[in-house]
Amino acid sequence: MSASVSVAGCPQGGKQGPCQPAHHVSQETELPRPYPNEIPHNEKLLSLKYESLDYDNSENQLFLEEERRINHAAFRTVEIKRWVICAMIGILTGLVACFIDIVVENLAGLKYRVVKDNIDKFTEKGGLSFSLLLWAILNASVVMVGSVIVAFIEPVAAGSGIPQIKCYLNGVKIPHVVRLKTLVIKVCGVILSVVGGLAVGKEGPMIHSGAVIAAGISQGRSTSLKRDFKIFEYFRRDTEKRDFVSAGAAAGVSAAFGAPVGGVLFSLEEGASFWNQFLTWRIFFASMISTFTLNSVLSVYHGNAWDLSSPGLINFGRFDTEKMGYTIQEIPIFIFMGVVGGILGALFNALNYWLTMFRIRYIHRPCLQVIEAMLVAAVTAAVGFVMIYCSRDCQPIQGSSVAYPLQLFCADGEYNSMATAFFNTPEKSVVNLFHDPPGSYNPMTLGMFTLMYFFLACWTYGLTVSAGVFIPSLLIGAAWGRLFGISLSYLTKGSIWADPGKYALMGAAAQLGGIVRMTLSLTVIMMEATGNVTYGFPIMLVLMTAKIVGDYFVEGLYDMHIQLQSVPFLHWEAPVTSHSLTAREVMSTPVTCLRRIERVGTVVDILSDTSSNHNGFPVVESNPNTTQVGSGGCLCNSGAGSWLLLSQPVFVERANLSLVQRRLKLKDFRDAYPRFPPIQSIHVSQDERECMIDLSEFMNPSPYTVPQEASLPRVFKLFRALGLRHLVVVNNHNEVVGMVTRKDLARYRLGKEGLEELSLAQT
Amino acid sequence: MSASVSVAGCPQGGKQGPCQPAHHVSQETELPRPYPNEIPHNEKLLSLKYESLDYDNSENQLFLEEERRINHAAFRTVEIKRWVICAMIGILTGLVACFIDIVVENLAGLKYRVVKDNIDKFTEKGGLSFSLLLWAILNASVVMVGSVIVAFIEPVAAGSGIPQIKCYLNGVKIPHVVRLKTLVIKVCGVILSVVGGLAVGKEGPMIHSGAVIAAGISQGRSTSLKRDFKIFEYFRRDTEKRDFVSAGAAAGVSAAFGAPVGGVLFSLEEGASFWNQFLTWRIFFASMISTFTLNSVLSVYHGNAWDLSSPGLINFGRFDTEKMGYTIQEIPIFIFMGVVGGILGALFNALNYWLTMFRIRYIHRPCLQVIEAMLVAAVTAAVGFVMIYCSRDCQPIQGSSVAYPLQLFCADGEYNSMATAFFNTPEKSVVNLFHDPPGSYNPMTLGMFTLMYFFLACWTYGLTVSAGVFIPSLLIGAAWGRLFGISLSYLTKGSIWADPGKYALMGAAAQLGGIVRMTLSLTVIMMEATGNVTYGFPIMLVLMTAKIVGDYFVEGLYDMHIQLQSVPFLHWEAPVTSHSLTAREVMSTPVTCLRRIERVGTVVDILSDTSSNHNGFPVVESNPNTTQVGSGGCLCNSGAGSWLLLSQPVFVERANLSLVQRRLKLKDFRDAYPRFPPIQSIHVSQDERECMIDLSEFMNPSPYTVPQEASLPRVFKLFRALGLRHLVVVNNHNEVVGMVTRKDLARYRLGKEGLEELSLAQT
């Protein structure tokens, strides 16, 4: 009865007891790794233990029994609840976006006014270095606060959150990523970063914020606040929660860019494995509500209550087809801009990669991170100041739309054009570059600005502050795009190309596409943000070119960061050249198996064994009639989902009690979801260890399996399409021979020289 | 060795020989059927044998071997070919749309000018009945030609083709649906129907046209024309072809409405089971190219070469937010319009249902169908004429945008307002209703028009002509919507609601939503066609309301027609109350099994047996060691995909020869795809029958299986997510106990009183 016999695997060796957990056999044959010796295995990285979400856990007996009880009417109630939740997600996401927008606008306005007054004062009487100091100190102190809360309270709130949400939707649970605390830090952090004048945007973090809101609402409680509203208990499982998180992410995109369809496509592109019409429709609903809420509230706030002209945090302004149409001859030029964007994007990513490596190696202490953030803030202010100071590009203030015109050394009635770009929130700078009339900037200004901002933005991304890379990318692109347009107009003697704003738009698309490499969703987001369907075609071409060119050199920024963190991320398809690999070669083996009636001690020992490389354990049935061919156990069931639950002590304890009286209820699972206490935290007495436990209630009675001859793409497809966490590999006699986990699949990657195997963080 | 032993199923009884094919056991327990006794089992319906597409057949040994050989470079070539094909699909679809548009415009213009001249002539000297006669005869004769080609040459080209494409994308192969002949008839038919003045649109058929173009191009040959270009041979399998057909359908939507994103969403909503990022991106590419091609060509045709103002066959014209914005107070009103649209839509569908039943019973001879079409054409002209004749709604001709102003009895310089609606192509009437200034129509005109057109459109849908229902629905809705807007303005004394055009738009959305019940894609299509993102929110609310209200009464029009044809259509999810059903209850049993090495005679007999209810046969291996528990055969492999291929005589013949010398090549499958000759058409001699054939080459070595305890939703999810055609059900010992086919799953449906079982056409 003891867990000792472990010959070569479960079927061959397992007599009656469970087989021993063991490490991957297949990993011993190491394939070449990308970035050899470069991934630093310091404590911080390795301390991240990623768990997989399990979309298939709703099939354990307890859930199944509930599903069977559910009738038509109950289903309708559940369905209506889903819609209500989506509406709430939309409203709350919209309101959070409003909050961020209004606070940023006011605080940034205050800061710029103070600095402007100071500059105006010192311009006349000399001593502008005081202004520089004031600006730098203001920035640095605001950023310090923003960085401290992120670094010391919730490090997962750093950055845009898009890589984290991508991982979550892909099925990897990053600790703390959808907690309320993260949301609060994220929102405060992004406000402080933008107000602190960093080269960042507030749009990316909206996606993360929307996701957290969705996760919170759909569970009907906050574990951080220890409040349980006792509603929406039906949705306390991975698959439902994930669906709502996609809706939240979409609502975030929608609020950020006023792009409801773009939001839906973003969620689908990043998250959907199995397309479900009703789910998509709900996601769309949440997105629409979100942009509508933002629009209404901001319209009221701006005084013109009913005009609904602010669908997103950033609006590109109206691109009129009549005024700024494009012609077919321009399309090759746009494609060329895509190439430039791809190259610049790849450069950005490569620089950022080195920087990130440096940061992982040397700047992993929180206080160092805060100091770096302050340094960047101060340098940003200094660079801006010097650029403005040195610029001699004066423009008439008449009829321009500049918010904080800095006169500096310009004549009266004129303003410094460089200040439009540097002395402003990045969102406003982007819109100015799109829509300022021709001649508002001289080429020198644009060139210098592009160069400086490129390096600043690159340095800024990856700081321990909460901030996005969308807007800086757009800004860099808009600047060189406009420069490109002006040069083109100059070269062709201004024949047909009138408006540099059009080129600024294409440049912005090219640069953003070159950095993030999003495709379909980004096209639609840009299309919706410009409010012009006709621009869709050139934007699509530009983004596609930028992606192709960029991919030739280096990965997209988000994918790069995901890979740097060794997340077991599954792409859409198995690598094309992997058809020769079979499940047998990919799987983890031997597998720890359990029997339907098992000794509690054995179960506790297995669950406590952290060296086990999977969380699901096949429950096998030993058939007394077929022992002759060495098949000790034959797969009957795998308790994938429920075993995770059982791996938590509360349940082992209660499960023991069940032998006496109390039966474990579905409610117990739901109340504990998703933070199950670790098995080590409970004590199982020796008496209890000798009890027997019936696992049939917690297991999935009909797990998905694959034969061991199945090819890797086939296993991959099954895994991806069904959102699995474990897949049991069986032989011809239906005996368990191995287990495929997300990590086993994520290891294989198509590199430049064929199939590569990655090293991943512990699952 | 003879195929005789059939005790209770494959595993229990099958000793060595194959088990006998048999009919469904589970069908004997009949559940209540919807529309009891109403589905007419006449010859026409039963003659349709639907086949399932098989997206999983690419895993037989021959395909696998090729996949293994494929290297990185070859993969790139294939990928580039896919993009090239998508570009070609886009261009050709756009060109076909241009062709239809230009021909319709010219022919309809000619017709209306002739009739107008005639009316003008007879208005003065009396005898307008001659004009009526001329109009009716012109219409009827044009429609006759259109109906004759459809009824006698290619009946599958009738209607909009959307239900057929829905079925195809769902995985059901309707005979002839993607053939070149169908395309030609469809294009000519739709031109003739629209020119013939029927209450139809030319938009729906574009979706079908795009799909046919895609199917043709992707295969690199036309079997109708007997031309094989020897290109794109890699794509000659169901899964690849289906992907291209989705791209074609999207390109069709895109060309029809100038809605590239809407097209992508349409394809996904109808077709996608597993969301694939690259596929979606290609679909989007095809859509964009399609609308861009149409736009360029039509711009050139209309003389203003570069303005790109015709993105689709129908453009709703510009809805300016400034001029025609909506306010929050109007939203409840829009929702009410959604309710009205839902009710009217349900009425439309119910009437059309009865009409279709009548047609199936009594009008199934082609000549009767032609006569009915002519009758409808004549009646449409007559109704239009009488309405125009009786109308006294005269409007000043100055500044209006009417194409063929009929003066009739109006004063000089005025025109008959009813004629704007009736004496025009429906597309133009819709745009007029959206954009004509307030006061262009009096309420009486709109009311009468709505009433008449409603019944005409309802009568027209389902005629044996090639035509769509989109535009008539929009037209009906726009008419009552405008009427509603005018009444509202009148009731509130014209306080805030200025433009009835806005209400016409909402009415159009409500009516269309109430009839077709599309959701996400339709919102996006409408949004893109109006070119205004802000309208997205109310349009979404209206469509949602219309769908909810409509679904309460009766199904959507397309779904209704699909169900009337007893197509085994799989919806997105299994019925919610079906958790208590297991695979065992759903599956077909007993299953005909084959062994790896089988006698040719046995194979031929099994394939010739048309009473077999599935086309895939598990290949089992008998294990000599485990005979004791009555398990004669143990599942080894199921040749699902390849067996279909083998079920064709050419291959049986060649397979025989393979014992001598020649081996069957992948190329043989590809050359014959998709029209494999029937097994009956070849003769297998007695000697050949005694030969043995090795099936391992044609079978899928690792078929997907489910345990017999799996619940129906679980089986359904697997089936749907992976696009399966057969799914083998096994017991704990991995022995085949049954087979689940599409038909088995499609039978279960959620009716008003719980789970229902449908009767379906033979698969």
Side-chain angles (χ1 to χ4, degrees):
Chain A
M1 196 66 89
S2 68
S4 61
V5 196
S6 159
V7 182
C10 187
Q12 286 78 26
K15 288 254 168 23
Q16 294 286 328
C19 324
Q20 283 283 34
H23 293 285
H24 292 206
V25 172
S26 53
Q27 267 188 337
E28 287 166 17
T29 57
E30 283 198 4
L31 295 177
R33 287 178 177 165
Y35 314 118
N37 307 321
E38 276 197 85
I39 292 184
H41 288 279
N42 67 19
E43 325 80 70
K44 193 186 168 196
L45 261 190
L46 286 187
S47 70
L48 282 176
K49 274 198 77 173
Y50 302 113
E51 278 182 7
S52 305
L53 294 171
D54 190 358
Y55 307 141
D56 196 43
N57 77 353
S58 54
E59 286 277 332
N60 81 42
Q61 280 295 351
L62 287 172
F63 280 96
L64 269 181
E65 270 162 33
E66 191 193 32
E67 298 283 359
R68 273 185 204 137
R69 271 198 310 273
I70 211 167
N71 60 15
H72 201 172
F75 171 72
R76 287 183 83 92
T77 319
V78 168
E79 192 63 19
I80 289 169
K81 275 186 193 161
R82 286 202 185 101
W83 284 94
V84 171
I85 293 174
C86 282
M88 287 165 69
I89 291 170
I91 292 172
L92 266 180
T93 307
L95 289 179
V96 167
C98 287
F99 174 75
I100 293 178
D101 193 61
I102 292 172
V103 173
V104 164
E105 198 177 300
N106 285 318
L107 289 184
L110 186 66
K111 187 192 84 173
Y112 285 120
R113 272 196 301 278
V114 168
V115 176
K116 181 178 173 338
D117 289 348
N118 190 283
I119 291 178
D120 286 349
K121 200 172 82 191
F122 284 105
T123 311
E124 283 161 35
K125 59 179 191 178
L128 268 174
S129 42
F130 287 107
S131 306
L132 166 61
L133 213 62
L134 173 72
W135 191 6
I137 287 174
L138 262 180
N139 274 8
S141 50
V142 171
V143 168
M144 188 190 74
V145 180
S147 182
V148 162
I149 57 174
V150 172
F152 288 97
I153 305 184
E154 191 57 89
V156 86
S160 72
I162 295 180
Q164 284 88 334
I165 296 302
K166 273 183 84 151
C167 290
Y168 188 92
L169 294 181
N170 192 264
V172 182
K173 198 186 279 175
I174 293 176
H176 297 204
V177 80
V178 289
R179 294 221 182 150
L180 181 64
K181 197 168 78 176
T182 311
L183 174 65
V184 173
I185 300 298
K186 191 110 213 169
V187 169
C188 298
V190 76
I191 291 173
L192 292 165
S193 317
V194 176
V195 172
L198 289 177
V200 297
K202 56 192 188 298
E203 279 66 20
M206 269 318 298
I207 298 169
H208 193 170
S209 304
V212 181
I213 291 169
I217 292 180
S218 66
Q219 304 300 299
R221 68 173 165 192
S222 161
T223 24
S224 305
L225 297 183
K226 306 215 170 19
R227 286 293 300 272
D228 190 338
F229 299 98
K230 306 273 180 205
I231 47 171
F232 307 144
E233 283 162 331
Y234 182 84
F235 304 120
R236 292 181 188 169
R237 49 175 119 162
D238 282 344
T239 166
E240 296 280 353
K241 192 171 171 185
R242 202 276 304 246
D243 286 354
F244 288 112
V245 168
S246 349
V253 174
S254 174
F257 300 96
V261 183
V264 174
L265 290 174
F266 173 84
S267 272
L268 292 175
E269 216 173 81
E270 299 307 343
S273 51
F274 177 66
W275 164 282
N276 180 313
Q277 202 173 12
F278 303 108
L279 169 63
T280 315
W281 188 228
R282 279 198 302 273
I283 293 178
F284 187 52
F285 184 68
S287 296
M288 273 291 187
I289 299 263
S290 157
T291 174
F292 186 74
T293 307
L294 177 77
N295 210 339
S296 311
V297 176
L298 284 190
S299 297
V300 171
Y301 176 76
H302 291 137
N304 33 13
W306 307 120
D307 77 338
L308 299 178
S309 59
S310 322
L313 287 183
I314 181 167
N315 302 304
F316 290 174
R318 174 179 234 121
F319 278 82
D320 243 330
T321 319
E322 279 100 58
K323 219 184 79 205
M324 294 169 72
Y326 62 96
T327 61
I328 295 178
Q329 302 102 301
E330 284 174 276
I331 284 176
I333 302 174
F334 294 152
I335 290 177
F336 176 74
M337 292 182 79
V339 173
V340 175
I343 293 171
L344 287 181
L347 182 65
F348 187 99
N349 293 0
L351 289 177
N352 196 267
Y353 175 75
W354 292 327
L355 193 62
T356 309
M357 296 303 305
F358 180 83
R359 283 191 178 128
I360 290 175
R361 285 223 181 97
Y362 304 109
I363 318 184
H364 45 82
R365 296 234 313 274
C367 40
L368 284 177
Q369 292 172 336
V370 172
I371 291 171
E372 196 201 3
M374 288 171 65
L375 181 68
V376 174
V379 168
T380 306
V383 167
F385 190 86
V386 171
M387 299 288 286
I388 294 171
Y389 186 83
C390 300
S391 165
R392 289 291 168 273
D393 182 8
C394 295
Q395 301 287 343
I397 216 162
Q398 206 77 40
S400 85
S401 56
V402 187
Y404 316 105
L406 272 188
Q407 188 178 344
L408 224 62
F409 305 118
C410 291
D412 282 352
E414 289 195 333
Y415 68 94
N416 187 310
S417 173
M418 184 65 96
T420 339
F422 268 114
F423 200 68
N424 211 337
T425 55
E427 283 84 0
K428 296 221 178 86
S429 308
V430 171
V431 177
N432 285 340
L433 285 170
F434 286 166
H435 291 291
D436 278 350
S440 300
Y441 304 86
N442 79 35
M444 189 64 194
T445 309
L446 289 173
M448 286 305 294
F449 176 77
T450 305
L451 193 69
M452 284 299 146
Y453 210 81
F454 184 88
F455 290 109
L456 283 177
C458 190
W459 191 10
T460 310
Y461 188 81
L463 280 185
T464 316
V465 295
S466 166
V469 77
F470 263 76
I471 299 295
S473 309
L474 287 174
L475 189 49
I476 298 166
W480 67 253
R482 200 172 169 108
L483 179 63
F484 187 88
I486 295 173
S487 323
L488 208 63
S489 187
Y490 181 77
L491 287 175
T492 62
K493 309 271 182 304
S495 57
I496 43 168
W497 295 295
D499 203 311
K502 184 169 57 183
Y503 287 90
L505 177 67
M506 293 302 154
Q511 183 67 55
L512 184 54
I515 291 174
V516 303
R517 312 281 165 77
M518 282 156 61
T519 51
L520 179 59
S521 55
L522 194 54
T523 308
V524 177
I525 289 171
M526 297 283 290
M527 226 164 92
E528 287 185 280
T530 55
N532 190 321
V533 178
T534 324
Y535 272 112
F537 185 69
I539 288 176
M540 183 189 73
L541 289 179
V542 164
L543 285 174
M544 226 155 76
T545 318
K547 181 176 164 62
I548 292 169
V549 173
D551 280 349
Y552 182 80
F553 297 107
V554 64
E555 276 181 303
L557 191 62
Y558 298 140
D559 291 327
M560 205 179 75
H561 277 262
I562 287 171
Q563 202 176 312
L564 274 177
Q565 298 190 316
S566 307
V567 177
F569 192 86
L570 286 192
H571 289 278
W572 289 102
E573 280 174 344
V576 275
T577 51
S578 61
H579 277 88
S580 50
L581 284 173
T582 63
R584 197 187 355 228
E585 292 157 272
V586 171
M587 70 193 183
S588 308
T589 183
V591 180
T592 311
C593 300
L594 291 165
R595 281 162 311 142
R596 200 187 270 270
I597 309 285
E598 191 61 270
R599 210 171 58 90
V600 169
T602 315
V603 175
V604 172
D605 289 345
I606 287 173
L607 295 179
S608 315
D609 184 1
T610 50
S611 72
S612 161
N613 46 26
H614 50 84
N615 290 319
F617 304 95
V619 178
V620 298
E621 222 167 41
S622 48
N623 189 334
N625 294 327
T626 54
T627 43
Q628 65 199 88
V629 278
S631 61
C634 188
L635 172 75
C636 164
N637 309 293
S638 126
S642 44
W643 268 111
L644 167 70
L645 301 169
L646 238 193
S647 76
Q648 317 309 333
V650 186
F651 302 114
V652 173
E653 209 162 34
R654 283 183 184 155
N656 287 331
L657 295 177
S658 76
L659 294 180
V660 191
Q661 196 57 261
R662 182 175 171 323
R663 283 196 51 185
L664 194 57
K665 292 255 172 50
L666 187 55
K667 192 173 175 308
D668 300 320
F669 285 92
R670 287 197 170 142
D671 285 346
Y673 177 84
R675 301 194 203 166
F676 305 108
I679 185 106
Q680 289 79 5
S681 69
I682 60 143
H683 175 70
V684 182
S685 72
Q686 200 56 41
D687 282 356
E688 284 171 337
R689 286 181 70 88
E690 291 306 322
C691 292
M692 299 301 281
I693 172 171
D694 182 359
L695 303 177
S696 24
E697 213 164 35
F698 316 118
M699 75 193 187
N700 174 350
S702 56
Y704 293 118
T705 59
V706 275
Q708 54 185 351
E709 299 86 11
S711 65
L712 178 59
R714 205 170 171 82
V715 174
F716 197 95
K717 194 179 168 195
L718 193 67
F719 215 84
R720 196 76 172 81
L722 300 173
L724 300 182
R725 178 176 185 152
H726 314 96
L727 182 59
V728 179
V729 182
V730 294
N731 66 10
N732 275 350
H733 304 284
N734 212 27
E735 296 160 354
V736 180
V737 293
M739 185 82 114
V740 177
T741 61
R742 165 178 286 269
K743 201 177 139 192
D744 297 322
L745 295 179
R747 272 186 301 140
Y748 295 97
R749 196 186 86 114
L750 195 66
K752 289 243 189 296
E753 287 128 41
L755 215 56
E756 289 172 347
E757 202 173 339
L758 297 179
S759 65
L760 296 167
Q762 290 178 277
T763 46
Chain B
M1 198 65 91
S2 69
S4 59
V5 196
S6 159
V7 182
C10 187
Q12 287 77 26
K15 287 256 165 27
Q16 294 287 328
C19 324
Q20 284 282 33
H23 293 286
H24 292 209
V25 173
S26 53
Q27 268 187 340
E28 286 165 19
T29 57
E30 281 200 5
L31 294 176
R33 284 177 178 170
Y35 314 120
N37 307 321
E38 276 198 85
I39 292 186
H41 288 279
N42 67 20
E43 327 78 72
K44 192 186 168 195
L45 262 192
L46 287 185
S47 70
L48 282 176
K49 274 198 79 173
Y50 300 114
E51 278 181 8
S52 305
L53 293 171
D54 190 355
Y55 305 141
D56 195 45
N57 77 354
S58 54
E59 286 277 331
N60 80 43
Q61 280 294 353
L62 287 173
F63 280 96
L64 270 180
E65 269 162 35
E66 191 195 33
E67 298 283 358
R68 273 183 204 139
R69 270 199 312 273
I70 210 168
N71 59 14
H72 202 171
F75 170 74
R76 289 185 81 92
T77 319
V78 168
E79 192 63 21
I80 291 170
K81 275 186 193 163
R82 287 203 184 101
W83 285 93
V84 171
I85 293 173
C86 282
M88 286 166 69
I89 291 169
I91 293 172
L92 266 180
T93 307
L95 289 178
V96 167
C98 289
F99 174 76
I100 293 177
D101 193 63
I102 293 172
V103 173
V104 164
E105 198 178 298
N106 286 317
L107 289 184
L110 185 67
K111 187 191 84 175
Y112 286 120
R113 272 195 303 278
V114 168
V115 177
K116 180 177 170 344
D117 289 348
N118 191 281
I119 291 178
D120 287 348
K121 198 172 82 190
F122 282 106
T123 311
E124 282 160 35
K125 57 179 193 179
L128 269 175
S129 42
F130 288 109
S131 304
L132 167 60
L133 213 63
L134 173 72
W135 192 5
I137 288 175
L138 261 183
N139 274 8
S141 50
V142 171
V143 168
M144 188 188 76
V145 180
S147 181
V148 161
I149 56 173
V150 171
F152 290 96
I153 305 183
E154 190 59 89
V156 87
S160 71
I162 295 180
Q164 284 88 337
I165 296 303
K166 273 183 86 151
C167 290
Y168 188 92
L169 294 182
N170 191 265
V172 183
K173 199 185 278 174
I174 293 175
H176 296 204
V177 80
V178 289
R179 293 220 183 152
L180 181 63
K181 196 168 80 177
T182 312
L183 175 65
V184 174
I185 301 297
K186 190 111 214 169
V187 169
C188 298
V190 76
I191 291 173
L192 292 166
S193 318
V194 176
V195 172
L198 289 176
V200 297
K202 57 192 188 301
E203 278 67 19
M206 268 319 297
I207 298 169
H208 192 167
S209 304
V212 181
I213 291 168
I217 292 180
S218 66
Q219 304 300 299
R221 67 175 164 193
S222 161
T223 24
S224 305
L225 297 181
K226 302 208 172 29
R227 285 291 301 271
D228 189 337
F229 297 98
K230 307 274 181 202
I231 45 171
F232 307 144
E233 283 161 332
Y234 182 84
F235 305 119
R236 292 180 188 170
R237 49 174 119 162
D238 281 346
T239 165
E240 297 280 355
K241 192 171 173 184
R242 203 273 306 246
D243 286 354
F244 289 112
V245 169
S246 348
V253 174
S254 174
F257 300 97
V261 183
V264 173
L265 290 174
F266 174 85
S267 273
L268 292 175
E269 214 171 83
E270 299 306 343
S273 51
F274 176 68
W275 165 281
N276 180 312
Q277 202 175 12
F278 303 106
L279 170 63
T280 315
W281 188 229
R282 280 198 302 272
I283 294 178
F284 188 53
F285 183 68
S287 296
M288 274 288 184
I289 298 264
S290 157
T291 174
F292 185 76
T293 307
L294 177 78
N295 209 339
S296 311
V297 175
L298 284 190
S299 297
V300 171
Y301 176 77
H302 292 138
N304 32 12
W306 308 119
D307 76 339
L308 300 177
S309 58
S310 324
L313 287 183
I314 181 165
N315 301 303
F316 291 174
R318 172 177 235 122
F319 280 81
D320 243 329
T321 318
E322 278 100 59
K323 219 184 78 206
M324 295 168 72
Y326 62 95
T327 62
I328 295 178
Q329 302 103 303
E330 285 174 275
I331 284 177
I333 303 174
F334 292 152
I335 290 177
F336 175 74
M337 292 182 78
V339 174
V340 175
I343 293 170
L344 287 180
L347 181 66
F348 187 100
N349 293 0
L351 289 177
N352 196 268
Y353 176 76
W354 293 328
L355 192 63
T356 309
M357 296 303 305
F358 180 84
R359 282 191 179 129
I360 290 175
R361 283 222 183 96
Y362 304 108
I363 317 184
H364 46 83
R365 295 231 319 269
C367 41
L368 283 177
Q369 292 172 337
V370 173
I371 290 169
E372 195 202 3
M374 287 171 67
L375 181 68
V376 174
V379 169
T380 306
V383 167
F385 190 85
V386 171
M387 298 287 288
I388 294 171
Y389 187 82
C390 299
S391 164
R392 289 291 169 268
D393 181 10
C394 294
Q395 301 288 343
I397 215 162
Q398 207 77 37
S400 83
S401 57
V402 188
Y404 315 106
L406 272 187
Q407 187 180 345
L408 225 63
F409 305 118
C410 292
D412 283 352
E414 291 195 331
Y415 68 95
N416 186 308
S417 173
M418 184 64 99
T420 338
F422 267 116
F423 199 67
N424 211 338
T425 55
E427 283 85 359
K428 295 222 176 84
S429 308
V430 171
V431 178
N432 285 340
L433 284 169
F434 286 164
H435 291 290
D436 278 352
S440 299
Y441 304 86
N442 78 36
M444 188 64 194
T445 309
L446 289 174
M448 287 303 296
F449 176 76
T450 305
L451 194 69
M452 283 300 146
Y453 210 80
F454 185 89
F455 290 109
L456 283 177
C458 190
W459 191 11
T460 309
Y461 189 81
L463 279 185
T464 315
V465 295
S466 166
V469 76
F470 262 76
I471 298 296
S473 310
L474 287 174
L475 189 49
I476 297 166
W480 67 252
R482 200 174 169 105
L483 179 62
F484 186 89
I486 294 173
S487 323
L488 207 63
S489 187
Y490 181 75
L491 286 174
T492 62
K493 309 272 182 301
S495 57
I496 43 166
W497 294 294
D499 204 310
K502 183 170 55 183
Y503 287 90
L505 177 66
M506 293 302 153
Q511 183 67 53
L512 184 54
I515 290 174
V516 302
R517 310 281 164 77
M518 281 157 62
T519 49
L520 179 60
S521 55
L522 194 54
T523 309
V524 177
I525 289 172
M526 297 284 290
M527 225 164 92
E528 287 186 279
T530 55
N532 190 321
V533 178
T534 325
Y535 272 112
F537 185 69
I539 288 177
M540 184 190 71
L541 288 179
V542 164
L543 285 174
M544 229 156 73
T545 320
K547 182 177 165 61
I548 292 169
V549 173
D551 280 349
Y552 182 80
F553 297 107
V554 64
E555 276 181 302
L557 190 63
Y558 298 141
D559 292 327
M560 205 178 75
H561 277 262
I562 287 172
Q563 202 176 312
L564 274 176
Q565 299 191 316
S566 308
V567 176
F569 193 85
L570 287 192
H571 289 279
W572 289 102
E573 280 173 345
V576 275
T577 52
S578 61
H579 278 88
S580 50
L581 284 173
T582 63
R584 202 193 346 239
E585 292 157 273
V586 171
M587 69 192 183
S588 308
T589 182
V591 180
T592 312
C593 299
L594 291 166
R595 283 162 309 142
R596 201 188 270 268
I597 307 287
E598 191 60 271
R599 209 172 57 93
V600 169
T602 315
V603 176
V604 172
D605 288 344
I606 287 173
L607 295 179
S608 313
D609 184 359
T610 50
S611 72
S612 161
N613 46 27
H614 50 86
N615 289 320
F617 304 95
V619 178
V620 298
E621 222 167 40
S622 47
N623 189 333
N625 294 325
T626 54
T627 42
Q628 67 200 81
V629 277
S631 64
C634 188
L635 172 74
C636 164
N637 308 291
S638 124
S642 46
W643 267 112
L644 165 72
L645 302 168
L646 236 194
S647 75
Q648 317 309 333
V650 186
F651 302 114
V652 173
E653 209 162 36
R654 283 184 187 156
N656 286 332
L657 292 177
S658 78
L659 294 179
V660 191
Q661 196 56 258
R662 183 175 172 321
R663 284 195 49 184
L664 194 56
K665 291 255 173 50
L666 188 56
K667 192 174 175 308
D668 300 320
F669 286 91
R670 289 197 168 142
D671 285 348
Y673 177 84
R675 303 191 201 167
F676 305 105
I679 185 109
Q680 289 80 4
S681 69
I682 61 142
H683 175 70
V684 183
S685 73
Q686 200 55 41
D687 282 355
E688 283 170 338
R689 286 181 69 87
E690 292 305 322
C691 292
M692 298 302 280
I693 171 172
D694 182 0
L695 303 177
S696 24
E697 212 163 37
F698 317 119
M699 74 193 187
N700 174 351
S702 56
Y704 293 119
T705 59
V706 275
Q708 54 185 350
E709 299 87 11
S711 65
L712 178 59
R714 206 169 169 80
V715 174
F716 197 95
K717 195 180 167 197
L718 193 67
F719 216 85
R720 197 76 172 82
L722 300 172
L724 300 182
R725 179 176 186 155
H726 314 95
L727 182 58
V728 179
V729 182
V730 295
N731 65 11
N732 275 351
H733 304 284
N734 212 25
E735 296 160 353
V736 179
V737 293
M739 186 82 113
V740 176
T741 62
R742 163 178 288 268
K743 199 177 140 190
D744 297 322
L745 295 179
R747 272 187 301 142
Y748 296 95
R749 197 185 85 114
L750 195 67
K752 289 245 190 295
E753 288 128 44
L755 215 57
E756 291 173 344
E757 202 172 342
L758 299 178
S759 66
L760 296 167
Q762 292 178 274
T763 48

